């Protein structure tokens, strides 16, 4: 999380930055020479705010002489870095602007004697270009203003403010006290007292105070130690007695003589009054974290913190919001600390100065903290984009989460374990604002005042007169007088002993509380670290290390795949997948894997080293049995051990730093004046001792890593996001699938959803960049709506009958699906008609999914951006969408996504109503185009079916609406055989989804009617998704060769390479086809469930098992026609049934007799059930149902030998037939037995009406 990981301790070849406890001491405040200056950055902020809300620039004028609306004491004035020591450090150059801005983010603050002037502590962080971090710890207090010039200027500002203010009040229609109060600054409208308080400053009556900050800049986040040191400095300044040594001695000591504690050791150094203790974790422990997680959990609550933590892991945009700067830092540092072993890789600004609010416009992941103004409501906060934003209102215990949000794995058990840890330390898991830092601070102030404040009648530590204590209170005075009359004397009494004991107890309690915070920190972090250790225990097995040397790896980094994501996900428990599939796409995970690969050539990254050692420890414990990937929750077992390590280091000091000592200072320096921080002697603080050569050795490894991180960070940002779309193709689908145009890409449904969600986030970020005025939560949908309004106005004016699309081509039957109009507006209307979607963000994502599924995303966005006047109206000049070169490159990458078939709309919105269009295409040359009977159709898909729908007479095309069917699989078509022209030869049925444009072709090529073909009045057709082709090609695909004398024998000529040929396959080709059909089914079940295609196609499709077995049964069939009557395979099946029912077989083995009788009985039962089903299915259709049922119930291997030994086979098959060859039959049985291990689930449309229960 911090520089602790990147900064090894002394003695390990470390850089100087890792050896000094503190780099700089800084003093910020008012420059008496320049006087009161308005804060230019605050002026810029107000100008940007006015520009964001479309206000006039006059309203943004914030100069000190003209901003009369704001009370002068509440205005922002410019602060300056008054001094910093030393002047500069080579390895950490001093950034004066950044330090000044972060030490006093609101600029100078003024107070009077009536205001609260308690010192305030906060911290900040500066992230350098190489990714390393520097920490700042600041104590802000108030000093009396001694400059007459500044006091006079403040009084003048008040006079101008009051004159302007009261004139505007009296000019209004009402001069009541309410209206007067309401005209004050927002948040100060409660009473007349406040009115007088904020609008009165008299130089002769009031004392003016101004804020000043003292700050330590350190390489590591020793927050507690720095806070104690700064508080002691402040006490030394405000104490009645001067400090034991000049302040320069203590500052020089911490800058130059206090080293960083070595890893695994503790250190004691000295402040002004008492020692300060700090400790540093060892090499095998979790890295340093000094921010109290107790406060973070109390501020947010356990449930909220885990949700925010998940958002950080998924690299969303996280905005923290609080009035208190230290709360922003506590929550930000606390959450990033819990990321171990991963590190946040994007924009990280825990305290965002108000002048830099435009940083929130960045279309990249960020973690930022924004100070809220007192009285400002959340609804008034205008944010550039909210679709992917996690908003955290710390003060109000409230968070807003993005809409599409996977839960952290085992979240319930995880929260339960964390709750147990919190409860052990007395912290409620739901959080408590009452227990937060502000309440603790208030309690400590009360205790401090009890000891030190004499003015309010409290007791000091000196001996005092009880009479003096009682004097002034009338009731107690009367009691005292009564006591005197009775002879009781009131003498001085010693209270110092009892109070000093209380002080000791208080001190012990503070030390105990600090120790408890340390132990709670490490135990909570251990629980989080344990989750990642369990989830990624086998990550190393999936790291791809192909490069031979570091130079070649760095050169080809962008083109290489370093982690086998698909294999890793396939090895994970199902409940983990929604989260993990998104997490492994993040930059922090990619960097983690990069560090793992780099470790083979150089020293291992410290965080990675600790993480790997923990995994190795798990493997040693589990050596007796290989660990199975499971979703069973495993608690952390190292809590007690981790807490003991911390306690041992804090109870026994390993190192003690040099005591502060007198320096060689000029006479007159170090002069003490109570309440004023002295002007320090710069020459003694400019340099340190010269005998610290051991600190100046540098680590080449660390420097190389920093340089690499700097180069790597250049890729982070929008350019990295743009490459994500290309990577969706190159890394996830694979080069081969794209080049060959395979529709079945190597991508799971879950993986697809993850990638699409990332694409949606990317588009929202791009469309949010550089907005003139934000409208709604989705910038993309807002742009689309405005484009739609303009286009519909023009479309209404230019509407014409030919606007529906080009003239459609017709097939030989004269019937064809009309061309579907390609329209961005039409797709928007489809989304707007979906009542299931309630938000603009949801509509934008649905539109993206629909466009991607239709392969129109790039085309639609190009059309959207072609309206340049609209784009210029909505976006500022620097916006990404107005940068032509980058925009075109991005659209080009989106265009490449068309190489893969997505179903990201169909598979997600499963409950919406979709319009479909169906066309029945007959073969006119051989039959009538229209039948006189009453035809019907039933369309089925992966999500359901339409039920039987009557087709209007004399119509072959119809439209219908029903709930989303998913990918279409089968069509049942039939008629009632009524009328003179009942016989009907159907070529195929075409069905199209009118929203997605997906068109399915269901080949038939068979007759429907009694007395022709196999006498079928209904057929089950298996669908195939058609690729996007021209209408001419579509017509050719729908034509059936007219020379089709026997549809049964010519239905499928081959399973492998003979499709489309007229010659019959030979025995070898038929056996090869059987093997291929069975092998396809086996491969289907060995794929992950999300990757499996349609089992119906593998069973009943053109190259399916039914077709392969038909070829076996057709081989050697004596004649297709006997006495001018068609003979089918089903005729042979029925003769076999008649033989089995009338004959008792005699076998040598009684067991064989029982088995064969059982098989015969089952076979006959299935055939009778099919024959008696209430359906008008033909003989070939019945054979298909028998094969499907036999496959499902694992009976085919038992039925084949029965049929091969049936006497009817000698009458109906030639001697060379495959079914009469014993070796071939045995081979066929062995092949069919290979699919008996799988559970076959048949689609309902295949076996509808057949009442046969599966036999287990």
């Amino acid at each position: 999380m911090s520089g602790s990981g990147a900064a090894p301790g002394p003695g390990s070849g470390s850089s100087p930055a890792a050896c000094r406890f503190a780099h700089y001491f800084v003093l910020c405040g008012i420059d008496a020479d320049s006087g009161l200056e308005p804060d230019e950055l605050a002026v810029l902020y107000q100008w940007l705010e006015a520009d964001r809300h479309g206000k006039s620039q006059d309203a943004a004028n914030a100069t000190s002489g003209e901003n009369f609306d704001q009370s002068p004491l509440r205005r922002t004035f410019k602060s300056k870095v008054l001094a910093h020591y030393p002047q500069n450090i080579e390895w950490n150059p001093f950034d004066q602007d950044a330090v000044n801005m972060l030490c006093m983010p609101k600029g100078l603050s003024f107070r009077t004697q009536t205001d609260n002037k308690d010192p305030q502590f906060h911290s900040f962080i500066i992230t350098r270009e190489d990714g390393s971090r520097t920490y700042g710890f600041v104590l802000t207090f108030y000093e009396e203003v001694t400059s007459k010039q500044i006091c006079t200027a403040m009084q003048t500002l008040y006079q101008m403010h009051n004159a302007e203010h009261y004139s505007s009040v009296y000019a209004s229609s009402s001069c009541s006290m309410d209206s007067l109060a309401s005209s004050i600054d927002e948040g100060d409208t409660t009473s007349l007292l406040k009115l007088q308080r904020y609008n009165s400053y008299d130089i002769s009556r009031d004392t003016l105070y101004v804020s000043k900050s003292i700050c330590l800049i350190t390489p590591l986040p020793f927050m507690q130690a720095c806070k104690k040191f700064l508080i002691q400095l402040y006490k030394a300044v405000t104490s009645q007695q001067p400090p034991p040594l000049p302040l320069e001695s203590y500052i020089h000591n911490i800058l130059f003589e206090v080293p960083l504690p070595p890893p695994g050791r503790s250190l004691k150094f000295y402040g002004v009054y008492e020692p300060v203790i700090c400790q540093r974790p060892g090499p095998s422990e979790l890295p340093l974290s000094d921010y109290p997680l107790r406060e973070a959990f109390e501020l947010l609550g356990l449930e909220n913190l885990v949700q925010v933590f998940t958002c950080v892991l998924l690299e969303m945009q996280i905005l923290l919001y609080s009035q208190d700067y230290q709360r922003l830092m506590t929550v930000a540092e606390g959450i990033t600390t819990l990321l171990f072993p991963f590190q946040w890789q994007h924009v990280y600004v825990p305290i965002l100065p108000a002048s830099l609010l435009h940083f929130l416009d960045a279309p990249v992941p960020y973690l930022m903290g924004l100070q809220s103004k007192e009285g400002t409501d959340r609804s008034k906060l205008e944010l550039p984009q909210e679709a992917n934003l996690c908003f955290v209102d710390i003060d109000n215990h409230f968070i807003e989460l993005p809409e599409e949000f996977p839960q952290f794995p085992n979240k319930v058990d995880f929260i339960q374990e964390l709750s147990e840890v919190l409860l052990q330390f007395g912290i409620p898991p739901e959080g408590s604002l009452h227990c937060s830092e502000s309440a603790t601070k208030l309690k400590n102030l009360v205790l401090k005042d009890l000891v030190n404040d004499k003015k309010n009648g409290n007791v000091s530590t000196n001996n005092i007169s009880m009479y003096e204590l009682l004097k002034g209170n009338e009731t107690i005075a009367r009691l005292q007088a009564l006591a005197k009359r009775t002879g009781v004397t009131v003498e001085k009494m010693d209270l110092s002993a009892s109070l000093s004991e209380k002080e000791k107890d208080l001190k012990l309690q503070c030390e105990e509380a600090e120790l408890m915070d340390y132990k709670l920190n490490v135990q909570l972090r251990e629980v989080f670290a344990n989750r990642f250790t369990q989830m990624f225990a086998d990550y190393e097995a999936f790291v791809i290390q192909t490069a031979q040397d570091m130079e070649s790896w760095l050169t080809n980094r962008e083109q290489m795949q370093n982690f086998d994501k698909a294999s890793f996900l396939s090895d994970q428990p199902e409940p983990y997948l929604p989260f993990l599939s998104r997490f492994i796409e993040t930059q922090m995970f990619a960097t983690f894997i990069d560090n793992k690969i780099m470790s083979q050539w150089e020293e291992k990254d410290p965080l990675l080293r600790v993480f790997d050692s923990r995994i190795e420890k798990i493997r040693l414990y589990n050596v007796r049995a290989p660990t199975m990937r499971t979703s069973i929750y495993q608690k952390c077992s190292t809590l007690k051990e981790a807490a003991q390590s911390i306690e041992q280091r804090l109870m026994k000091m390993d190192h003690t730093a040099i005591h502060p000592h007198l320096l060689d200072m000029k006479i007159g320096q170090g002069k003490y004046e109570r309440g004023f921080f002295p002007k320090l002697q710069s020459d003694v603080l400019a340099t340190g001792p010269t005998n610290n050569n051991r600190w100046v050795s540098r680590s080449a490894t660390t420097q190389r890593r920093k340089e690499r991180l700097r180069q790597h960070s250049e890729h982070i940002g929008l350019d990295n996001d743009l490459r994500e779309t290309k990577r969706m193709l190159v890394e996830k689908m694979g080069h081969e699938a794209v080049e060959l145009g395979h529709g079945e890409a190597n991508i799971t449904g879950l993986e697809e959803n993850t990638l699409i969600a990332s694409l949606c986030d990317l588009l929202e970020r791009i469309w949010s960049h550089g907005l003139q005025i934000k409208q709604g939560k989705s910038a993309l949908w807002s742009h689309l709506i405005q484009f739609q309004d303009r286009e519909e106005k023009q479309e209404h004016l230019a509407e014409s009958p030919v606007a529906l699309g080009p003239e459609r081509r017709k097939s030989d039957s004269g019937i064809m699906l009309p061309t579907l109009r390609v329209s961005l507006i039409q797709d928007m209307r489809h989304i707007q008609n979906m009542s299931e979607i309630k938000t603009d963000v949801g509509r934008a994502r649905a539109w993206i999914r629909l466009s991607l599924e239709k392969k129109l995303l790039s085309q639609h966005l190009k059309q959207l951006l072609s309206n340049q006047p609209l784009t210029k109206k909505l976006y500022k000049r620097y916006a990404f969408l107005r940068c032509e070169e980058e925009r075109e490159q991005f659209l080009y990458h989106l265009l490449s996504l068309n190489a893969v078939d997505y179903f990201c709309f169909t598979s997600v919105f499963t409950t919406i109503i979709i319009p479909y269009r169906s066309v029945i295409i007959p073969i006119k040359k051989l039959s009538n185009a229209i039948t006189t009977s009453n035809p019907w159709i039933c369309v089925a898909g992966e999500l359901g079916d339409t039920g039987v729908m009557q087709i209007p007479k004399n119509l072959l095309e119809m439209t219908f609406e029903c709930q989303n069917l998913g990918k279409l699989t089968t069509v049942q078509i039939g008629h009632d055989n009524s009328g003179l022209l009942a016989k009907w030869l159907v070529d195929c049925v075409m069905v199209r989804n009118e929203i997605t444009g997906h068109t399915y072709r269901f080949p038939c090529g068979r007759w429907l009617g009694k007395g022709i073909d196999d006498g079928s009045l209904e057929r089950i057709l298996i669908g195939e998704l058609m690729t996007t082709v021209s209408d001419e090609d579509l017509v050719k695909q729908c034509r059936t060769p007219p020379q089709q004398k026997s549809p049964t024998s010519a239905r499928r000529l081959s399973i492998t390479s003979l499709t489309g040929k007229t010659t019959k396959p030979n025995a070898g080709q038929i056996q090869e086809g059987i093997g291929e059909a069975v092998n396809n089914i086996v491969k289907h079940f060995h794929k992950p469930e999300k990757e499996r295609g349609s089992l119906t196609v593998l069973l009943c499709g053109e190259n399916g098992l039914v077709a392969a077995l038909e070829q076996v049964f057709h081989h050697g069939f004596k004649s297709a026609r006997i006495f001018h009557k068609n003979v089918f395979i089903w005729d042979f099946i029925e003769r076999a049934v008649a033989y089995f029912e009338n004959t008792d077989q005699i076998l040598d083995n009684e067991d064989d007799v029982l088995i064969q009788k059982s098989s015969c009985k089952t076979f006959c039962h299935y055939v009778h059930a099919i024959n008696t089903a209430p359906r008008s299915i033909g003989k070939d259709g019945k054979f298909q149902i028998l094969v499907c049922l036999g496959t499902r119930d694992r009976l085919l291997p038992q039925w084949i030998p029965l049929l091969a030994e049936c006497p009817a086979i000698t009458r109906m098959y030639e001697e060379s037939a495959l079914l009469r060859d014993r070796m071939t039959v045995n081979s066929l049985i062995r092949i069919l037995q290979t699919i008996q291990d799988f559970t076959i689930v048949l689609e309902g449309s295949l076996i509808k009406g057949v009442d046969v229960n599966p036999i287990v």
Side-chain angles (χ1 to χ4, degrees), residues 966-992:
K967 296 178 185 177
L968 302 187
T969 52
T970 63
V971 160
Q972 298 171 65
I973 184 173
H975 62 75
D976 61 0
N977 203 46
S978 61
L980 296 175
L981 302 175
K983 298 174 182 178
W984 199 19
L985 180 58
V986 176
D987 180 11
C988 65
V989 177
M990 308 287 291
V991 182
R992 183 173 67 202

Side-chain angles (χ1 to χ4, degrees), residues 226-345:
C226 291
K227 183 177 181 180
K228 288 182 179 179
F229 180 83
L230 293 174
I231 288 175
Q232 290 188 50
L233 277 185
Y234 169 71
K235 284 183 178 179
V237 171
T238 56
S239 174
Q240 292 182 352
Q241 300 297 324
L245 295 172
L247 294 187
E248 285 89 343
S249 296
Y250 303 102
I251 296 170
H252 180 275
N253 178 253
I254 199 169
L255 286 177
F256 301 110
E257 296 172 337
V258 176
L260 282 176
R265 301 299 179 92
S266 55
L267 171 72
K268 179 169 71 174
F269 65 94
Y270 293 89
V272 180
Y273 298 112
E274 57 187 32
V276 178
I277 295 171
C278 61
Q279 61 86 31
R280 191 173 176 187
S284 62
E285 298 178 63
L286 295 175
L288 174 66
S289 172
D290 215 31
Y291 286 84
L293 289 173
R294 169 185 53 80
E295 290 185 17
F297 278 86
E298 286 174 342
L299 290 168
L300 294 184
L302 176 54
E303 172 82 20
N304 285 346
L305 189 137
V306 171
Q307 296 286 66
V308 175
F309 174 72
T310 308
C311 289
V312 174
L313 284 172
L314 299 179
E315 294 184 346
M316 298 177 177
Q317 293 174 322
I318 295 92
L319 180 62
L320 309 177
Y321 194 61
S322 174
Q323 291 187 48
D324 190 327
Y325 291 124
Q326 186 58 17
R327 285 184 176 182
L328 295 174
M329 274 297 294
T330 298
V331 173
E333 281 294 294
I335 289 177
T336 53
T337 294
L338 300 174
L339 295 176
F340 170 87
F342 309 103
Q343 293 177 288
W344 180 257
Q345 299 294 319

Side-chain angles (χ1 to χ4, degrees), residues 463-508:
N463 291 348
I464 59 173
S465 169
M466 181 58 75
Y467 178 80
E468 293 295 323
L469 178 66
L470 299 178
K471 187 171 63 177
N473 186 297
E474 294 182 6
T475 303
I476 298 180
R478 286 197 294 269
L479 292 174
Q480 184 259 344
L482 178 62
K484 268 192 171 183
R485 287 197 297 271
T486 56
V488 178
T489 59
V490 180
E491 300 175 350
K492 291 183 179 180
M493 55 187 297
D494 188 1
L495 299 177
S496 59
S498 60
L499 287 176
S500 62
E501 288 175 6
K502 289 182 179 178
E503 266 193 317
K504 285 182 181 179
D505 291 342
L506 178 61
K507 186 175 178 182
L508 288 173

Side-chain angles (χ1 to χ4, degrees), residues 796-838:
H796 182 70
L797 295 174
E799 205 169 50
S800 65
V802 297
L804 293 176
E807 182 183 354
R808 67 192 186 194
R809 298 179 182 269
K810 297 184 178 181
S811 67
D812 292 341
S813 65
I815 300 296
M816 193 61 203
L817 280 173
T819 302
L820 189 66
R821 182 181 180 186
V822 176
S823 168
L824 183 155
I825 303 300
Q826 188 60 41
D827 287 346
M828 285 190 65
R829 290 171 183 157
H830 287 314
I831 302 304
Q832 289 166 330
N833 291 333
M834 294 169 59
S835 59
E836 295 83 356
I837 304 177
K838 307 296 184 184

